[in-house]
Amino acid sequence: MLVLVAPGQGAQTPGFLTPWLDLPGVEDRLRALSAAVDLDLVHYGTDADADEIRDTAVAQPLLVAAGLVSAAALGDVSPGAVAGHSVGEITAAVLAGVLDDTAALTLVRKRGLAMAEAAAITATGMSALLGGDPDITIPHLEKLGLTPANVNGAGQIVAAGTLEQLAALEADKPEGVRRVVALKVAGAFHTRHMAPAVDTLAKAAQELTPADPTITYVSNKDGKAVATGAEVLERLVGQVANPVRWDLCMETFQELGVTALLEVCPGGTLTGLAKRALPGVQTLALKTPDDLDAARELIAEHANA
C-alpha cells in the first residue's frame, strides 16, 4: 500500500521550485494560486532568499502550493492513505478531496498570517532533538518550560518555546540526546504561543464547505483516520496550538499495511523519518522533476498493493 505524505514548515529552501517551472502548466497554476491569495508564489519559490521564505506567512502557502503542483505532475495516483506534517496537513486535505486548491490556499494564507502575528508577540522558536528516549526527553523539556511540539518518532522530538528556554535546552540537553538543532521557523508552532491564531483560523474555516475524504486521511492529532471533511477541518484548526504526533501517524501507516511512502515536494524530511521508523518500507522524496520517473514506478508497484 502506498502512502502519500506532505512535509511541513522548514522543508523549503531558496530556489526549490525553479526546476518545476519547466514542466508544462506549472507556472500557470502557481500564478493562478498566487492571484487567489495575493502572494507571488513564483517569486518566493525561485528568486527569494532564505530569510524571505522563512517568514511564516510566506512559507506556509509556498509549501502547500509546491506539494500540490508536484503531486499533480505525478499524474493519476491512488494512494491507500494521505497525511501531512503540520501545514502539510492542508496539502493532504486537497489530495484526499476534502478541499480544492483555492480553498486550501486561502485557508493556509490566513493560517500563516495568523501564526506570524502570534509569533510576533513573544520571541519564540523550535529546536529538534536527535536521539534520546521520549520517556526521559519529554519530562526534561517540560521542566524547562518547553513543549514537545512535534513528536516525530525515529528518535526525533522537536521542542518549542521562548528563545531563553531553547538556550537553556542547549546548555542542558536531556540524557541520551546527541544534538539539538535550531529549526528554520519563526515561532513556537503547535504550542500555547499559537493560541491567538486558533480563533482566526476557526473563523476562516467557517467560510469553507469541506467534502468527506475520498482517500484515508491520517491526522496529526492522534494518528487516527478521519472520516468526515468537517472533522478534518476542525482538526486543522485545533492543530495550530497542539503537538504534532507524527510518530502515531507512522504507527497507523503500519497498521494499514504500508509498503511504500512517497513525499511530495519539497520532500526529504518525512522520508528520512520513515527510513528509520518503518524498516522494509520503500521511500521516495520528490525534490525535483528528475524524481518523477522513479516516483511513477513506485506508484505503479505499490498503489494497489
Side-chain angles (χ1 to χ4, degrees):
M1 184 198 78
L2 174 71
V3 174
L4 195 60
V5 298
Q9 205 163 333
Q12 73 278 8
T13 55
F16 77 102
L17 278 181
T18 299
W20 293 93
L21 267 62
D22 292 334
L23 298 182
V26 168
E27 184 170 352
D28 289 343
R29 188 174 186 186
L30 286 173
R31 294 204 181 280
L33 294 173
S34 296
V37 295
D38 192 26
L39 188 72
D40 190 345
L41 296 167
V42 173
H43 163 73
Y44 286 114
T46 57
D47 298 326
D49 63 25
D51 285 338
E52 288 180 275
I53 62 173
R54 182 174 177 268
D55 180 351
T56 302
V58 169
Q60 294 191 11
L62 183 62
L63 285 163
V64 172
L68 295 180
V69 297
S70 61
L74 291 168
D76 187 24
V77 186
S78 297
V82 296
H85 190 285
S86 188
V87 72
E89 286 203 294
I90 295 179
T91 311
V94 178
L95 300 177
V98 175
L99 299 173
D100 63 26
D101 285 9
T102 302
L105 263 292
T106 300
L107 181 65
V108 76
R109 177 61 167 155
K110 292 177 180 177
R111 182 187 193 269
L113 287 166
M115 291 175 72
E117 288 179 10
I121 296 170
T122 305
T124 58
M126 305 177 80
S127 293
L129 287 78
L130 307 181
D133 181 339
D135 291 338
I136 296 173
T137 297
I138 290 174
H140 187 91
L141 296 179
E142 292 170 346
K143 181 186 72 174
L144 296 174
L146 291 160
T147 299
N150 302 163
V151 183
N152 286 331
Q156 186 188 105
I157 291 175
V158 175
T162 67
L163 298 185
E164 291 81 4
Q165 290 166 339
L166 291 170
L169 173 64
E170 287 272 7
D172 182 17
K173 294 193 292 287
E175 180 184 348
V177 170
R178 300 189 308 276
R179 293 174 61 205
V180 176
V181 181
L183 299 185
K184 298 175 184 178
V185 297
F189 306 141
H190 304 291
T191 72
R192 61 181 177 80
H193 294 284
M194 291 295 109
V198 174
D199 289 342
T200 301
L201 201 59
K203 291 174 184 175
Q206 289 174 359
E207 300 172 5
L208 303 178
T209 305
D212 292 340
T214 56
I215 298 167
T216 299
Y217 178 98
V218 180
S219 168
N220 282 182
K221 180 178 181 179
D222 50 16
K224 302 295 185 185
V226 181
T228 70
E231 187 178 354
V232 169
L233 206 51
E234 179 184 345
R235 284 170 173 245
L236 287 175
V237 171
Q239 201 59 24
V240 169
N242 287 289
V244 170
R245 294 301 306 267
W246 192 251
D247 58 332
L248 299 180
C249 291
M250 290 195 290
E251 287 180 13
T252 297
F253 300 161
Q254 283 187 306
E255 292 167 4
L256 292 171
V258 61
T259 57
L261 182 142
L262 175 59
E263 183 179 4
V264 297
C265 179
T269 302
L270 301 181
T271 48
L273 292 170
K275 285 175 182 176
R276 296 190 293 276
L278 300 172
V281 172
Q282 287 187 250
T283 62
L284 193 147
L286 277 180
K287 298 178 183 293
T288 75
D290 291 342
D291 299 313
L292 286 170
D293 285 344
R296 293 184 185 115
E297 290 178 10
L298 190 77
I299 290 164
E301 183 179 352
H302 296 274
N304 297 312

